[in-house]
Amino acid sequence: MRVRTTGRGAEPASASGPLTHARIGVLMGGRSAERDISLRTGRAVHQALLRKGYDAVALDADERVVEQLHEHKVELVFLALHGPGGEDGAIQGLLETLGIPYTGSGIRASAIAMHKGVTKTLLQWAHIPVPGGLVVVRDRPLPKRVPAHLALPLVVKPASQGSTIGVTIVRKPSQWMEALERALEHDTDAIVETYIPGREVTVSVLSGTVLPAVEILAPGGFYDFSAKYQKGQTEYRCPAPLASPLVRRLADWARRSYELIGCEGAARVDFRITPRGKPYVLEINTTPGMTETSLLPMAAARAGMDYDTLTERILASALSRAERMKALER
């Protein structure tokens, strides 16, 4: 594999050209409920890599994914997969077995961050605030009523899905069972947690660098699938208009969460902030969306990084992994 590096590892390309001349496979699609969003992310990433002069091919990650990787002689993978099978360590494990370096977080970090309950347990251990709640397992008797120690409203969601798929805000006891059943249609585990009123803010981290925070003002106050992916549905403020001490706290907790989970490349940490200014971490996304309405490119743009450059910076995480893999072979 031909990789341009420095003593500190792979760096963004300059006038000297692309970071690598290796064949890059952009893996997208897959079989999760987020397939359509993954295709949009993957196509945009593929075009960005081509504009930057890379030898890149777009691949739909179906049951022939191993054959496709071999047929196209892929040497590096840019992961544009969302949801189970793409963000949970499964494809990462396959690529490690094949010896193909890939972008983003590794097997362990991907698996931890994908399950919101496991993520919350680790964050609590590190004294990073998360909403209180519990995990309901599909194969066990479901609680027929709202647990006595939890007060409405509550958020009920699948433990390992993104894009607010299967999420319900339970405001009345009569909504409880339907919300559980809806979440468990998408996962074996459901997360039940206290609804945090207030503002929604997300902070992206790129290879350890914290990008400007983005505030999300969704119609009706709920950042659902439509609000996320339909242009004009939601208002965004970047940088988020927050007091400087709160900005620093969010940046610190985002970086600490990223490091605690063991993330690499790009990741996004989602927060809710109460009207009194107390933030809570909701979840960590290890393969943030890269569509025209996605939050990571928005934050990067505010930091002076255009879409193509951001894509190349994420690609650099695969090159760093390639160097580590080579070192282990020596």
Side-chain angles (χ1 to χ4, degrees):
M1 184 187 303
R2 295 148 293 169
V3 178
R4 179 166 61 80
T5 64
T6 70
R8 297 181 299 279
E11 292 188 348
S14 62
S16 55
L19 293 172
T20 177
H21 296 289
R23 169 68 60 85
I24 302 167
V26 181
L27 282 189
M28 64 184 84
R31 295 183 293 181
S32 82
E34 298 180 75
R35 172 179 170 80
D36 289 346
I37 304 307
S38 172
L39 289 171
R40 286 167 57 180
T41 286
R43 290 167 186 151
V45 165
H46 179 233
Q47 291 302 309
L49 291 173
L50 294 178
R51 287 192 295 268
K52 279 286 190 178
Y54 289 96
D55 178 9
V57 57
L59 302 175
D60 193 336
D62 58 18
E63 65 278 359
R64 293 186 61 256
V65 63
V66 175
E67 294 174 51
Q68 291 189 72
L69 291 169
H70 289 318
E71 287 172 4
H72 291 277
K73 297 180 172 57
V74 170
E75 299 171 86
L76 288 172
V77 163
F78 193 115
L79 285 174
L81 292 164
H82 302 314
E87 288 184 81
D88 58 2
I91 193 70
Q92 289 82 0
L94 173 64
L95 293 170
E96 297 245 357
T97 301
L98 295 174
I100 301 176
Y102 54 89
T103 56
S105 296
I107 300 170
R108 182 181 60 184
S110 299
I112 290 171
M114 192 66 194
H115 194 288
K116 299 175 180 66
V118 175
T119 300
K120 288 175 64 174
T121 298
L122 279 176
L123 295 179
Q124 284 178 307
W125 173 82
H127 305 293
I128 297 172
V130 297
L134 53 84
V135 177
V136 175
V137 181
R138 182 199 292 166
D139 294 336
R140 298 175 188 170
L142 301 183
K144 303 297 183 183
R145 297 181 180 84
V146 176
H149 68 286
L150 294 176
L152 297 177
L154 295 169
V155 178
V156 180
K157 56 190 176 183
S160 301
Q161 288 285 350
S163 296
T164 61
I165 291 168
V167 178
T168 304
I169 299 177
V170 176
R171 302 185 186 277
K172 300 182 294 184
S174 60
Q175 299 173 308
W176 170 251
M177 285 304 297
E178 183 180 350
L180 277 183
E181 290 167 358
R182 183 184 179 203
L184 292 172
E185 287 176 0
H186 300 278
D187 203 335
T188 57
D189 296 349
I191 303 295
V192 179
E193 62 187 20
T194 302
Y195 174 76
I196 307 297
R199 304 166 74 174
E200 184 145 1
V201 174
T202 189
V203 180
S204 297
V205 183
L206 180 60
S207 298
T209 299
V210 179
L211 301 179
V214 180
E215 182 177 11
I216 302 153
L217 291 89
F222 182 34
Y223 193 43
D224 62 8
F225 190 90
S226 173
K228 285 186 177 185
Y229 299 114
Q230 291 187 21
K231 284 186 176 181
Q233 288 282 316
T234 300
E235 179 185 352
Y236 302 97
R237 296 174 179 172
C238 185
L242 304 169
S244 295
L246 181 54
V247 170
R248 290 193 293 270
R249 189 185 309 173
L250 293 179
D252 178 55
W253 283 349
R255 184 186 293 106
R256 285 175 58 196
S257 298
Y258 179 99
E259 293 172 351
L260 178 68
I261 301 299
C263 298
E264 298 178 58
R268 202 187 71 234
V269 183
D270 296 340
F271 293 88
R272 290 286 290 186
I273 304 173
T274 69
R276 300 186 68 175
K278 182 175 182 179
Y280 292 83
V281 174
L282 297 182
E283 62 182 274
I284 301 171
N285 299 276
T286 53
T287 310
M290 291 279 284
T291 72
E292 66 275 13
T293 59
S294 293
L295 302 168
L296 171 60
M298 189 182 306
R302 184 66 190 188
M305 194 184 313
D306 64 26
Y307 187 96
D308 293 3
T309 301
L310 170 62
T311 301
E312 189 171 55
R313 288 283 300 274
I314 296 172
L315 176 65
S317 65
L319 303 181
S320 295
R321 178 168 280 110
E323 290 185 355
R324 294 199 304 272
M325 291 170 71
K326 284 183 179 179
L328 290 174
E329 294 172 359
R330 296 187 188 123

